[in-house]
């Protein structure tokens, strides 16, 4: 198996060196093939998402398929502009070499390691950026979503030769075999713990690496006492129900002003009941957890906080569905708010609204999350807070939709990741800028050359470099 992966990487390297991926027209043709492939297999993708994750067709399209098509379409429309070389004036110091070009060059052979929670968007969405940049790609898909991985393998095999695009299945051992090879670019989406392992493997070859991670201490949501509690509860419930909480930008914990904690909890219970009913495990629209182990972890965590379950707290192990569960009151120092949950449990932490700055200091002192959400009528305060804290992205009086805005980056920072993608940011992530000055063999001044004696050279250089 190691030999076959090695041979695959070497075949891709040989193909890249032919230069076939360089013309923008060729890249656009491949992106159109990718779009056609997704459209052709839409129903199969919906069925695979239902089998692996229990997704309803609308949620499957909204989260994976539609978002992916939007990403591909934006790239097709804009790639010629993104890839166009930049022209800069070289400056007086470089005279008579007047022009400098910046070329956007592909890295070469890329490795994309994708997770199970959005198995098409977080694989083919990243692949879109890699293809736009002119790279080849080995895509390591998750073994936890086997139906989706099998379909990805078939889709890519029917659309592209393996020396250009190839999908590798299997578990962690297979991922390690992939990481043992030398690549020119690595893009990993997953947990901070595995992110460290990926970086260690990449460091051996000084490989440029992008990481999109969930955040070690989770994503914070703050509800202030002046917030529209009904609106906040409705949006928080929507996001927590999405994919049964298995979303990297999901809310890990809500911190609510203690002055409005009880009415907020009532609104939250009403929002969950309105959207999914009182028996979520038997609701066909409610997604399931990815594995029995994930279910058991969720259920055992809820059991440890059994005396503080305010809503939910039950599930069906056979169906791998655990109801959205509100835990209250939770202290900000407890273990459950110091790790990413990745399930439908929602700890709610009360705090005095007058101590909001102290709360922000506490959040800032922990590992940076991938998302931050603030609910308040004081939008100027919220804007200032957003510019003070370190996190990937977020929303003021809104949740999760920031990642669907065209033209903006999706990224993390610190323990929630490095690098960025979506749209032009993805193209930039999979290309490196090469600066090339176009020289002249006429009218060259001897300023840079020995001998350096003479005040006139000193004065001219100082004037040119003002």
């Amino acid at each position: 198996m190691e030999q076959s992966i090695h041979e695959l990487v070497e075949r891709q390297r040989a193909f890249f060196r032919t230069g076939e991926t360089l013309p923008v027209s060729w890249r656009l043709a491949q992106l159109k093939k990718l779009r056609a492939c997704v459209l052709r297999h839409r129903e199969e993708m919906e069925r695979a998402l239902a089998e692996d994750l229990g997704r309803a067709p609308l949620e499957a399209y909204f989260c994976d398929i539609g978002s992916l098509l939007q990403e591909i379409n934006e790239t097709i429309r804009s790639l010629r502009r993104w890839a166009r070389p930049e022209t800069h004036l070289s400056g007086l110091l470089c005279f008579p070499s007047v022009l400098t070009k910046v070329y956007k060059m592909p890295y070469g052979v890329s490795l994309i390691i994708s997770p199970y929670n959005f198995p098409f968007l977080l694989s083919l969405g990243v692949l879109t950026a890699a293809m736009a940049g002119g790279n080849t790609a080995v895509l390591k898909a998750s073994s936890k979503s086997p139906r989706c991985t099998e379909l990805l393998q078939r889709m890519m095999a029917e659309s592209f030769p393996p020396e250009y695009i190839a999908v590798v299945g299997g578990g962690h051992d297979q991922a390690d075999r992939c990481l043992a090879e030398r690549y020119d670019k690595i893009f990993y989406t997953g947990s901070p713990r595995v992110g460290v392992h990926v970086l260690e493997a990449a460091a051996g070859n000084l490989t440029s690496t992008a990481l999109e991670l969930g955040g070690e201490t989770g994503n914070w949501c703050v509800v202030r006492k002046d917030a529209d509690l009904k609106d906040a509860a409705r949006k928080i419930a929507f996001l927590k129900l999405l994919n049964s909480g298995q979303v990297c930008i999901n809310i890990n914990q809500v911190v609510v002003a203690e002055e409005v904690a009880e009415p907020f909890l009532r609104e939250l219970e009403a929002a969950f009941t309105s959207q999914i009913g009182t028996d979520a495990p038997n609701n066909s629209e409610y997604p399931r957890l990815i594995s029995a182990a994930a279910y058991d972890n969720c259920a055992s965590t809820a059991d440890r906080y059994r005396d503080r379950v305010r809503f939910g707290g039950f599930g069906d192990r056979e169906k791998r569905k655990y109801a959205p569960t509100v835990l209250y009151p939770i202290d900000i120092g407890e273990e459950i708010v110091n790790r990413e949950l990745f399930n439908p449990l929602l700890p709610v932490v009360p705090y005095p609204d007058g101590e909001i700055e102290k709360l922000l200091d506490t959040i800032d002192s922990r590992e940076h999350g991938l998302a931050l959400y603030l609910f308040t009528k004081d939008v100027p305060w919220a804007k200032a807070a957003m510019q003070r804290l370190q996190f990937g992205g977020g929303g003021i009086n809104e949740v999760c939709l920031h990642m669907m805005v065209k033209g903006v980056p999706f990224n993390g920072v610190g323990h929630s990741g490095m690098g960025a993608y979506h749209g032009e940011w993805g193209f930039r992530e999979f290309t490196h800028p090469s600066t090339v000055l176009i020289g002249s063999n006429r009218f060259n001044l001897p300023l840079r050359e020995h001998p350096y004696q003479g005040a006139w050279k000193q004065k001219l250089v100082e004037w040119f470099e003002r």
Side-chain angles (χ1 to χ4, degrees):
M1 187 61 71
E2 291 94 335
Q3 184 63 25
S4 63
I5 291 177
H6 176 73
E7 289 174 355
L8 174 63
V9 173
E10 289 306 306
R11 286 179 65 191
Q12 290 206 356
R13 195 174 309 284
F15 178 69
F16 176 75
R17 286 175 176 165
T18 67
E20 190 164 345
T21 69
L22 295 180
V24 173
S25 58
W26 188 88
R27 302 182 209 175
L28 286 169
Q30 307 316 303
L31 288 165
K32 289 174 183 177
K33 285 183 184 178
L34 179 63
R35 179 176 61 187
C37 179
V38 172
L39 290 170
R40 188 165 59 250
H41 290 279
R42 172 183 170 175
E43 291 184 1
E44 287 182 84
M45 293 166 74
E46 290 176 355
R47 287 196 296 270
L49 287 165
E51 290 183 44
D52 284 336
L53 289 153
R55 295 261 191 87
L58 177 58
E59 186 170 315
Y61 189 83
F62 174 68
C63 292
D64 261 278
I65 304 167
S67 297
L68 172 59
L69 288 170
Q70 177 178 283
E71 186 79 11
I72 298 171
N73 287 333
E74 180 187 0
T75 303
I76 290 172
R77 283 192 297 267
S78 305
L79 181 56
R80 289 193 185 278
R81 174 169 53 84
W82 298 343
R84 188 178 301 134
E86 298 176 14
T87 302
H88 298 260
L89 293 175
S90 304
L92 285 173
L93 193 64
C94 300
F95 183 85
S97 303
V98 178
L99 297 180
T100 294
K101 293 285 187 179
V102 177
Y103 299 106
K104 288 75 175 284
M105 301 299 297
Y107 279 102
V109 181
S110 61
L111 171 65
I112 300 168
I113 305 177
S114 63
Y116 68 81
N117 56 330
F118 295 97
F120 296 110
L121 177 63
L122 299 182
S123 58
L124 301 185
V126 181
L127 178 64
T128 298
M131 294 169 65
N135 304 275
T136 69
V138 175
L139 174 55
K140 171 61 184 74
S142 176
S143 61
K144 293 183 178 180
S145 47
R147 301 294 181 273
C148 294
T149 293
E150 186 273 333
L151 179 56
L152 275 170
Q153 289 176 313
R154 284 197 290 112
M155 289 170 63
M156 294 302 99
E158 75 178 33
S159 300
F160 307 107
E163 61 267 25
Y164 177 43
I165 306 294
V167 179
V168 176
H172 296 304
D173 55 341
Q174 193 77 320
D176 284 340
R177 292 187 183 105
C178 288
L179 285 168
E181 300 299 323
R182 178 170 187 153
Y183 302 90
D184 304 296
K185 181 72 180 183
I186 296 175
F187 196 110
Y188 167 76
T189 303
S191 71
R193 178 182 58 81
V194 179
V196 171
H197 176 62
V198 171
L199 270 185
E200 288 174 343
N205 293 311
L206 297 178
T207 302
S208 172
T209 303
L211 304 174
E212 288 297 340
L213 313 175
E216 199 160 311
T217 52
N219 304 316
W220 295 83
C221 176
V222 178
V223 179
R224 298 204 64 184
K225 70 177 182 180
D226 66 345
D228 182 329
L229 300 182
K230 186 180 184 68
D231 180 69
R234 177 183 178 185
K235 291 171 179 175
I236 291 167
F238 150 74
L239 183 52
K240 202 63 189 178
L241 289 170
L242 190 69
N243 208 29
S244 201
Q246 300 165 116
V247 183
C248 59
I249 57 169
N250 212 326
I251 295 166
N252 204 70
Q253 55 267 329
V254 174
V255 186
V256 61
E258 61 185 16
E259 296 90 336
V260 295
E262 287 299 330
F264 169 73
L265 289 168
R266 290 194 293 271
E267 292 289 358
L268 190 58
E269 180 176 349
F272 276 127
T273 301
S274 172
Q275 294 181 38
I276 207 69
T278 57
D279 189 12
N282 287 314
N283 188 314
S284 61
E285 290 189 355
Y286 186 52
R288 56 176 162 265
L289 293 165
I290 192 62
S291 64
Y295 179 92
D296 291 342
N297 177 269
C298 175
S300 64
T301 302
D303 286 343
R304 289 200 297 273
Y305 292 86
R306 180 60 53 188
D307 60 331
R308 286 178 276 178
V309 171
R310 288 291 295 260
F311 180 80
F314 61 94
D316 185 323
R317 190 177 189 276
E318 185 176 343
K319 295 178 178 177
R320 303 202 313 268
K321 294 186 177 185
Y322 201 88
T325 299
V326 178
L327 307 174
Y328 178 87
I330 302 297
D331 185 82
I332 201 166
E334 292 190 60
E335 182 269 346
I336 196 171
V337 295
N338 278 280
R339 63 181 175 93
E340 186 182 22
L341 293 173
F342 225 62
N343 58 41
L345 303 184
L346 185 60
V348 179
V349 179
Y351 81 101
D353 196 68
E355 296 182 10
I356 184 64
E357 296 305 316
K358 181 180 177 182
L359 169 68
L360 294 186
D361 285 342
T362 300
I363 293 174
D364 198 34
S365 69
R366 299 187 182 180
E367 299 299 350
H368 306 318
L370 187 57
L372 174 67
Y373 306 107
L374 304 178
F375 285 89
T376 176
K377 290 186 174 70
D378 189 351
V379 174
W381 170 85
K383 288 180 178 178
M386 287 287 192
Q387 294 177 75
R388 163 186 166 185
L389 301 175
Q390 289 280 352
F391 58 97
I396 298 170
N397 297 320
E398 189 51 272
V399 296
C400 86
L401 296 184
H402 63 282
M403 72 168 293
M404 303 188 73
V405 179
K406 293 180 181 179
V408 301
F410 179 62
N411 60 354
V413 58
H415 280 235
S416 59
M418 58 183 69
Y421 76 116
H422 285 188
E424 186 173 6
W425 296 86
F427 173 80
R428 294 178 189 176
E429 188 65 54
F430 277 91
T431 56
H432 63 92
S434 295
T435 300
V436 177
L437 183 143
I438 302 172
S440 172
N441 59 2
R442 301 180 64 190
F443 307 114
N444 283 286
L445 298 178
L447 293 178
R448 61 187 173 183
E449 301 165 4
H450 290 281
Y452 291 147
Q453 292 85 0
W456 70 274
K457 281 192 175 184
Q458 180 76 26
K459 289 179 180 179
L460 276 177
V461 169
E462 289 179 4
W463 186 74
F464 286 152
E465 291 190 328
R466 289 176 302 170

